[in-house]
């Protein structure tokens, strides 16, 4: 559908004063969208407003957002507490440089994160996106090893099936096939990859032997192990046995490696515990958070590390951590983060995530009988239907939209990560739309 078709169909220009036809056409021709060509092959769907779990389209139609805007809007859109915090901050100090200056929202959010995070993570670096926080995590590990007398420890042991962001350093630790490393030979640093951690505990011993073997073979040049705990998200929505995290900790302890856990997707309750690593009681040396940190209002991420990592990485020749984003610790984003984490402190998220898990288990069940469906899996507020073929994104999306639900499938996956406030009726509607989209795609 072109912009003009859209405009004609819904007759918008006249009622809203916005020439949607022109806007959508310019968007399609000139504006780059995530993982898309430019010009776009398919026109984007315009959104004019959002409230609670619903997105509003220019023609007044409402869609339940089964994606929570890429896993960020855990409390729903325009939550009054987050809204008020951002407005209040806007009236005082929307931004100020963080070099040499500081402000309450940053310090208070750092205190909050330290109190919520697994024990020992006491130093906080604010970054403006998840990918950047991963870059910072990698740098911290490299500076730590160098200052500990191991400049030769420059590589990372990462997991197949992983995803850590789109900047070059983060890309290097993403799944080499899914991350298309063959396009980037000689550009992206070659890292050491271990097989995907298994879902079934019966398969763990063999996997553990493999990763222990890889670590001892490469230990002399490895700085750290990098992994998403429990759920590998954008690399394929793979769930794995929590005990594998203990194996990663053992590998690190045996060979003097740091353990970096990327909780950007899993953090803040998504898998049923506040942080996914808590499910195994494993303590990382370095942790990244992002996505749900501000409840979806603004881009903010953070790298947390232990006192020992901060102390050693800050020493040496550089005498500092070599990173400092222009918009570091943006006060508006920090205010949103404070409000969002405050909402989490009530503990309601835990009951909601359990309730959504139950709802998704029920509503996604019928997908098992859909031809072309290979697997159905649910963990916390994550529901996944995996097909035996690449999904036809356009037709799957169209089918879901026709049912009043927004989904954004990728690869062979139709999935949902809804806001925690999604009520039972809406969870059921999302589940039905996922099943229908899986059948259509
Ligand atoms: C989304 C994501 C990132 C990247 O975050 P951006 O904010 O998109 O840069 C990194 N790691 C994981 C696990 C993610 O899910």
């Amino acid at each position: 559908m072109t912009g003009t078709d859209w405009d004609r169909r819904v007759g918008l220009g006249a009622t809203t004063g916005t020439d949607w036809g022109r806007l959508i056409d310019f968007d399609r021709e000139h504006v780059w969208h995530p993982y898309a060509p430019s010009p776009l092959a398919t026109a984007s769907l315009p959104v004019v407003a959002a409230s609670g779990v619903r997105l509003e389209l220019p023609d007044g139609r409402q869609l339940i957002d089964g994606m929570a805007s890429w896993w960020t809007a855990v409390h729903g859109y325009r939550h009054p507490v987050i809204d008020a915090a951002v407005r209040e901050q806007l009236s005082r100090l929307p931004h100020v440089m963080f070099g040499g200056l500081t402000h309450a929202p940053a310090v208070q959010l750092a205190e909050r994160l330290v109190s919520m995070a697994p024990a020992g993570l006491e130093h906080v670096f604010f970054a403006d996106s998840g990918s950047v926080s991963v870059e910072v995590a990698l740098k911290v590990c490299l500076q730590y090893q160098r200052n500990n007398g191991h400049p030769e420890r420059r590589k990372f042991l990462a997991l197949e099936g992983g995803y850590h962001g789109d900047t070059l350093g983060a890309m290097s630790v993403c799944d080499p096939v899914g991350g298309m490393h063959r396009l980037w030979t000689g550009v992206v640093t070659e890292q050491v990859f271990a097989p995907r951690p298994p879902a079934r505990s019966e398969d763990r011993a063999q996997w553990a032997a493999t990763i222990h073997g890889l670590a001892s073979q490469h230990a002399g040049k490895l700085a750290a192990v990098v992994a998403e705990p429990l759920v590998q998200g954008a690399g394929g929505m793979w769930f794995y046995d929590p005990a594998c995290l203990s194996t990663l900790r053992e590998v690190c302890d045996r060979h003097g490696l740091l353990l970096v856990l990327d909780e950007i997707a899993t953090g803040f309750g998504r898998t049923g515990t506040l942080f996914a690593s808590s499910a195994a009681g494993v303590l990382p040396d370095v942790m990244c958070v992002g996505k749900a940190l501000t409840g979806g209002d603004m881009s903010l991420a953070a790298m947390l590390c232990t006192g020992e990592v901060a102390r050693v990485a800050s020493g040496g020749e550089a005498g500092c951590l070599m990173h400092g984003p222009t918009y570091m610790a943006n006060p508006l984003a920090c205010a949103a983060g404070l409000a969002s984490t405050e909402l989490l402190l009530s503990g309601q998220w835990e009951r909601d995530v359990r309730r959504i898990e139950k709802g998704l288990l029920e509503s996604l069940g019928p997908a098992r009988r859909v031809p072309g469906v290979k697997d159905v899996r649910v963990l916390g507020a994550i529901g996944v239907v995996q097909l035996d073929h690449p999904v036809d994104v356009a037709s799957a999306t169209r089918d879901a939209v026709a049912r009043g639900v927004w989904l954004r499938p990728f690869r062979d996956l139709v999935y949902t990560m809804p806001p925690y406030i999604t009520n039972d009726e809406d969870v059921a509607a999302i589940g039905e739309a996922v099943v229908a989209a899986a059948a259509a795609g």
Side-chain angles (χ1 to χ4, degrees):
M1 180 167 64
T2 68
T4 323
D5 292 342
W6 169 269
D7 208 31
R8 215 172 283 131
R9 212 178 63 162
V10 298
L12 289 165
T15 53
T16 62
T18 304
D19 184 352
W20 282 107
R22 214 187 61 73
L23 235 68
I24 295 166
D25 282 342
F26 194 89
D27 177 74
R28 183 173 179 164
E29 291 298 324
H30 301 278
V31 183
W32 233 303
H33 283 256
Y35 285 93
S38 186
L40 285 169
T42 320
S44 315
L45 200 59
V47 175
V48 293
S51 173
V53 300
R54 284 178 166 71
L55 305 176
E56 192 185 320
L57 308 190
D59 59 357
R61 266 189 299 162
Q62 299 202 334
L63 301 180
I64 304 168
D65 185 1
M67 310 308 296
S69 270
W70 269 341
W71 330 344
T72 61
V74 291
H75 310 293
Y77 296 95
R78 296 197 8 251
H79 191 288
V81 172
I82 306 178
D83 260 23
V86 174
R87 270 179 222 282
E88 212 276 328
Q89 189 56 42
L90 183 63
S91 70
R92 281 170 196 274
L93 179 70
H95 186 68
V96 68
M97 63 183 282
F98 210 51
L101 300 174
T102 196
H103 47 80
V107 183
Q108 289 166 347
L109 181 57
E111 275 186 305
R112 170 75 47 78
L113 290 176
V114 167
S115 74
M116 290 174 110
L121 299 173
E122 294 179 342
H123 295 251
V124 182
F125 186 107
F126 288 112
D128 25 28
S129 75
S131 304
V132 172
S133 75
V134 170
E135 298 291 331
V136 173
L138 301 181
K139 278 190 190 176
V140 140
C141 295
L142 295 174
Q143 289 196 228
Y144 172 89
Q145 295 291 4
R146 168 172 284 273
N147 296 344
N148 252 348
H150 292 293
E152 74 288 356
R153 285 179 166 252
R154 291 197 298 262
K155 293 215 178 272
F156 295 92
L157 176 59
L159 303 179
E160 287 170 5
Y163 176 81
H164 299 284
D166 292 338
T167 49
L168 288 168
M171 271 170 72
S172 76
V173 286
C174 291
D175 181 80
V177 178
M180 294 219 162
H181 284 194
R182 69 197 141 76
L183 290 184
W184 306 99
T185 310
V187 177
V188 164
T189 312
E190 279 184 38
Q191 312 290 11
V192 179
F193 284 92
R196 203 152 50 69
R200 304 181 327 152
S201 54
E202 304 91 280
D203 301 328
R204 184 167 46 88
Q206 198 195 342
W207 176 81
T210 308
I211 196 161
H212 273 293
L214 272 169
S216 33
Q217 185 189 340
H218 298 280
K221 57 177 189 184
L222 289 174
V225 171
V226 183
E228 293 155 280
L230 235 53
V231 175
Q232 295 184 291
M237 307 302 288
W238 305 106
F239 303 165
Y240 66 82
D241 178 13
C244 294
L245 285 171
S246 313
T247 305
L248 294 181
R249 184 71 265 179
E250 278 163 32
V251 164
C252 289
D253 292 344
R254 190 171 303 172
H255 298 288
L257 315 181
L258 296 173
L259 178 59
V260 179
L261 292 183
D262 177 351
E263 293 256 13
I264 292 169
T266 52
F268 306 110
R270 181 57 68 178
T271 65
T273 51
L274 194 54
F275 294 99
S277 62
S278 336
V282 164
L283 303 178
D285 303 294
V286 177
M287 180 173 92
C288 293
V289 291
K291 290 209 161 89
L293 174 56
T294 64
D297 265 39
M298 250 160 297
S299 182
L300 183 69
M303 184 279 304
L304 284 84
C305 69
T306 63
E308 138 100 347
V309 170
R311 184 180 56 76
V312 176
S314 304
E317 190 189 352
C320 65
L321 174 58
M322 295 291 284
H323 212 102
T326 305
Y327 278 89
M328 188 168 185
N330 172 257
L332 291 171
C334 289
L338 257 179
S340 176
T341 49
E342 173 141 359
L343 291 171
L344 291 174
L345 291 180
S346 81
Q348 178 61 36
W349 64 269
E350 204 167 350
R351 291 184 285 281
D352 283 334
V353 168
R354 237 181 282 131
R355 176 179 59 75
I356 292 171
E357 182 173 53
K358 194 160 155 277
L360 289 176
L361 279 167
E362 267 168 40
S363 59
L364 295 184
R368 292 183 200 282
R369 294 188 295 277
V370 171
V373 167
K374 188 162 143 190
D375 190 32
V376 178
R377 46 187 184 266
V378 174
L379 178 69
I382 310 173
V384 181
V385 175
Q386 186 178 6
L387 308 179
D388 62 12
H389 56 275
V391 59
D392 176 344
V393 176
S395 62
T397 307
R398 206 174 320 120
D399 226 86
V401 167
R403 282 161 196 272
V405 175
W406 174 246
L407 298 175
R408 184 70 178 164
F410 70 106
R411 293 202 209 168
D412 55 351
L413 302 160
V414 184
Y415 76 101
T416 177
M417 294 191 35
Y420 301 163
I421 60 158
T422 313
N423 68 27
D424 292 344
E425 203 180 318
D426 289 345
V427 171
I430 292 173
E432 281 163 28
V434 169
V435 177

